[in-house]
Amino acid sequence: MGKLSRPLLRLKGHELVPPEEDRRVDLDIFDVLLPCRIYEVSYKVASLGQVSPTLEFLLRLAKAAPGIADEEAAAFFGYSQTEMAYVLEEAIGPGYLERRAGKLWLTISGEGLFKADDEQPSIYTVEARRRSFGFDLMAIAPQVKRFLDELERLLPELPSEDPAGTGRVAERVPARFKQFFRELADQADRGKTERRDIYSIDPVVTPGERYQMPLRFVTFAQASNPSAAEIDLSSWRMDHEVADRPEIERAVALFVKDQQTSAAHLDAASGYQTLIDMAPEFLKEFTTRNGLSEIRYWREAVSRAGEPRTDRKTIPIVGSLLLPGNIERVQAVLDYGLRNVTEVPVNIYAVAPQTRRWGATTQQRDLLTLIQEKTALILPGDKPDMKSVCLYAWDKPAQYTAKTFDEIQVVRVGDFPKSLELLLVPGVMVAAIVHAPLGASTGNPVPLGLASFDPLVIDRAYAYFLERYQFYQSKGRPD
């Protein structure tokens, strides 16, 4: 579970990777907001308690031999007259047994202690309760509310079929409450050890406060068909929990499908050429007269994406820079790069690719914070803290992007290839990624590029960046 099932596509005669080398490749990571609402539910629970062993044996005997005489029961258990009187009081006092003419009979209440197909008597107490529970507005499944920071509140929201959170959703709450009762009861009655079962639910529930909760997921694909993205929700919930929430899985799948585009629209060729211009030595084996052989580079990068070393200053990057594994690689590149500089960089520069929902995750903020804190630790100084500056080629950046970076500089659409993403710490490191469908003319963008602490690569990248950035430093906003 946690992904969309589909047949694996094999490309006959010109596979992107040989069948024996096919594997899962993580592509991107997103945090989206799940619309939720608090509902007040009235219900009754039956709390189960066990009778004492002596009472249990006596009730079982009376059930098996209705009308047994007192003396016969005492002899059966080997009780004295005093002991038998004590046990009888435990049974007759609450009304489980009655004595008629020296014989013992189960009452209706006593019969009720025996559940169907159960020879063991149990005591139930029914309690009425009215409590508030959070449910998402898609699957109508439990969703605990927690505080969101300012960035989290700006993340994109999954669309809901019932934006008002009432009507059909409220009607479904009682049935879903019953399905998830064990989970909800554990939340509401934490610390109580007795077993509880749902007894009844009021069909009328009262809607309360709306709220949102972050949902993190990863997109991935097979190396043989990278532009056909699938979804993995395992970082949000376990597989069996995802299976209980198919509506959310479908909504996430549509969210991912909405990002499909074409290589031509993103000007992928220009993006790949920029990689060559920055790191021609590293990419020489994959460079032809027509530019980068991105398929060959993909095959190589998937098979040998590794860690930087002193003798391996540039490494391939597959997937978003914000994937946990790639954040670790960027950190390692940063560590090596910081060994070679003595002056604290003023800024971290980023160029946003012109793809939908780029950077829609708190991982973007965490990566920038990591770079700032590591640089300040290794290169302490009296200079102001490094600022993060993002060059954004749309009229208005997404709110989460504006909140993530210290400064946004809007540039013209044609200043950078639409597919290109840059992360640049001048003098220290650079990461350059092309986001474009791979192995197909249309599909989900496949991040593919490199990261480097090689001074030559960094200098070329910085010169390329400054050539476009300095125009705005002197002119202000683009026309």
Side-chain angles (χ1 to χ4, degrees), residues 245-296:
R245 296 160 171 84
E247 298 88 347
I248 294 174
E249 193 173 21
R250 288 196 296 270
V252 172
L254 289 174
F255 179 92
V256 173
K257 184 178 180 180
D258 187 53
Q259 298 169 41
Q260 291 183 353
T261 184
S262 69
H265 172 75
L266 290 171
D267 192 12
S270 294
Y272 292 128
Q273 184 59 48
T274 303
L275 297 185
I276 295 173
D277 294 341
M278 291 181 185
E281 300 87 358
F282 176 71
L283 295 172
K284 63 182 180 180
E285 295 180 28
F286 312 100
T287 303
T288 69
R289 286 179 297 177
N290 297 322
L292 183 71
S293 176
E294 66 271 17
I295 300 302
R296 286 179 51 221

Side-chain angles (χ1 to χ4, degrees), residues 2 49 54 58 128 131 145 150 168 190 199 211 213 296 307 325 328 330 342 370 383 409 472:
T54 53
L58 180 58
R131 287 181 176 153
K145 180 183 177 183
E150 190 172 353
R168 192 173 63 85
R190 189 165 289 129
Y199 186 80
Y211 62 101
M213 289 304 298
R296 286 179 51 221
E307 306 305 320
E328 292 181 6
V330 169
T342 56
L370 173 69
K383 291 185 178 181
Q409 175 67 65
Y472 299 105

Side-chain angles (χ1 to χ4, degrees), residues 170-186:
E171 292 172 2
R172 293 181 59 195
V173 168
R176 297 294 278 175
F177 179 83
K178 183 176 182 180
Q179 177 178 343
F180 293 103
F181 173 73
R182 187 60 54 205
E183 176 183 341
L184 293 167
D186 289 345

Side-chain angles (χ1 to χ4, degrees), residues 149-170:
D149 64 37
E150 190 172 353
L151 175 57
E152 287 178 311
R153 292 195 293 270
L154 298 176
L155 293 167
E157 181 180 277
L158 285 177
S160 172
E161 293 179 352
D162 187 3
T166 56
R168 192 173 63 85
V169 171

